[in-house]
Amino acid sequence: MSPETIQELNRQFALPGAAEIVEGNGRLPKVQIRTPHATGEIYLHGAHVTSWRQAGAEEVLFLSSHSKWEDGSAIRGGIPICFPWFRAKADDPKAPAHGFVRTKAWQLESITADGDTVTVGMSTGNDEDTTDWWPADFRLLYRVTFGTELKLDLAVMNTGTTSLRFEEALHTYHKVWHIDNIRVRGLDGVSYLDNTDANHEKTQHGDVLITTQADSAYVNTQHPLELVDPELRRRIRITKEHSLSTVVWNPWREGAQLLSDLGDDEWQQFVCIEASNVLGCAVKLAPSQQHSMRVLIGVAKL
Ligand code: TA6
């Protein structure tokens, strides 16, 4: 993006001392947020949150040192937005995995401050590229609030004249000290589809420990979760609204070897915990209807 455009965006949206648009990796524009309680950043590319931390605390999100930073590619790490399908598109193997909104520039709509929080609003919608993949009229409005908690609100509007069926996921890469020593609490007894085992349905017993490749879609669950990291001495609390599924993923060594945008051994430094509406929990939206999925991420000391 040209410096003039960044200058123009700052003229329209910057909050001096709290939020400004700067040139990020790959010369992609990002909104940089600094408040007395937190810092964070979100790229216009994919409306992709790539950092959030409470003031004086450790980064909460993982970001690959080998990520691509270009139009048409997804950033590896942070919070990719998966829409309007999850994983491969069922009827078109050539379609981009996880849909087409995480690999394109969104429009910056607003930056507002409320006390010590800053909220950034971005939007995208159908265009000639998207209708090639998915013949639907839609608009997404994503609002991210950076404060002592991180609040995500993804609103989907059906702006067409026919009903929509879509999947969505906020594919959050949580930074961990080492994958061997973390656990995810809150899914005990919940059914999940194991994508490492032909999506067979299984039941979770106790906390989720990651001891091999994990790719589990927990279905019909609105439970709040906790990611416990003894070495970082913190608990990440994840609560969600209007999300009926949660996906837990780590590629492990063998899966990571297939990912050119992940550094050596970086697979040990994250776990994805994804608030979502996927597989049997996909959303149906009548014309003019709107659906908002919300996620609240907080940090507490262990
Ligand atoms: O959310 C888990 C998952 O669907 C895995 O199956 C794996 O494909 C992961 O997403 C990463 O997908 P990506 O297209 O970002 O490499």
Side-chain angles (χ1 to χ4, degrees):
M1 182 173 275
S2 70
E4 299 70 35
T5 314
I6 287 187
Q7 194 177 21
E8 176 53 26
L9 285 173
N10 276 312
R11 193 189 61 73
Q12 281 189 62
F13 298 106
L15 300 180
E20 64 170 332
I21 297 94
V22 299
E23 194 173 86
N25 294 326
R27 306 192 62 191
L28 296 170
K30 66 180 179 182
V31 182
Q32 208 156 47
I33 293 100
R34 283 192 180 78
T35 80
H37 293 284
T39 61
E41 58 184 39
I42 177 171
Y43 279 76
L44 275 66
H45 180 72
H48 201 125
V49 177
T50 50
S51 173
W52 171 66
R53 62 198 309 171
Q54 295 171 332
E58 175 76 36
E59 174 62 57
V60 172
L61 302 177
F62 166 84
L63 193 60
S64 168
S65 58
H66 287 50
S67 179
K68 296 190 181 85
W69 299 92
E70 61 199 24
D71 199 38
S73 296
I75 295 168
R76 177 68 65 188
I79 308 177
I81 300 174
C82 305
F83 176 89
W85 60 80
F86 185 71
R87 292 181 182 141
K89 189 170 188 280
D91 60 0
D92 184 352
K94 293 193 304 303
H98 291 320
F100 43 63
V101 299
R102 64 174 181 163
T103 54
K104 64 186 289 191
W106 290 42
Q107 283 71 46
L108 180 54
E109 294 287 343
S110 60
I111 304 178
T112 53
D114 177 7
D116 286 331
T117 66
V118 169
T119 298
V120 179
M122 293 189 183
S123 71
T124 191
N126 58 283
D127 59 29
E128 62 282 353
D129 296 332
T130 65
T131 44
D132 286 347
W133 296 116
W134 196 58
D137 294 335
F138 69 91
R139 180 167 150 72
L140 301 188
L141 179 58
Y142 189 41
R143 281 183 295 258
V144 181
T145 300
F146 296 85
T148 51
E149 295 177 311
L150 181 67
K151 190 160 47 172
L152 312 170
D153 182 330
L154 180 64
V156 180
M157 284 150 268
N158 181 349
T159 56
T161 56
T162 56
S163 289
L164 295 183
R165 177 190 177 280
F166 63 87
E167 294 176 293
E168 59 184 351
L170 292 171
H171 195 298
T172 309
Y173 285 71
H174 287 278
K175 182 186 172 83
V176 298
W177 186 259
H178 197 289
I179 193 72
D180 286 352
N181 305 323
I182 58 100
R183 63 184 52 236
V184 180
R185 286 193 182 131
L187 292 167
D188 183 25
V190 178
S191 295
Y192 66 94
L193 303 178
D194 184 348
N195 196 34
T196 68
D197 181 15
N199 261 335
H200 283 137
E201 183 163 351
K202 302 176 180 177
T203 301
Q204 179 62 37
H205 298 293
D207 294 346
V208 178
L209 308 178
I210 310 286
T211 58
T212 181
Q213 184 169 2
D215 192 356
S216 307
Y218 293 83
V219 290
N220 303 316
T221 171
Q222 303 187 59
H223 292 199
L225 302 181
E226 225 174 37
L227 167 58
V228 179
D229 189 331
E231 286 154 303
L232 287 176
R233 291 198 301 280
R234 72 182 183 189
R235 287 173 292 128
I236 307 289
R237 282 194 57 74
I238 303 155
T239 50
K240 52 181 203 170
E241 283 176 50
H242 309 306
S243 158
L244 295 180
S245 55
T246 298
V247 180
V248 176
W249 174 64
N250 181 278
W252 211 252
R253 182 176 287 102
E254 66 273 7
Q257 283 163 356
L258 306 176
L259 301 174
S260 61
D261 56 356
L262 200 59
D264 292 346
D265 295 339
E266 281 189 324
W267 60 272
Q268 297 171 341
Q269 297 162 24
F270 72 87
V271 62
C272 285
I273 303 176
E274 308 159 30
S276 54
N277 287 296
V278 298
L279 304 172
C281 302
V283 179
K284 293 181 184 59
L285 209 50
S288 310
Q289 264 201 335
Q290 171 174 317
H291 177 278
S292 285
M293 177 169 69
R294 297 188 185 99
V295 187
L296 190 62
I297 299 174
V299 186
K301 289 198 185 321
L302 250 189

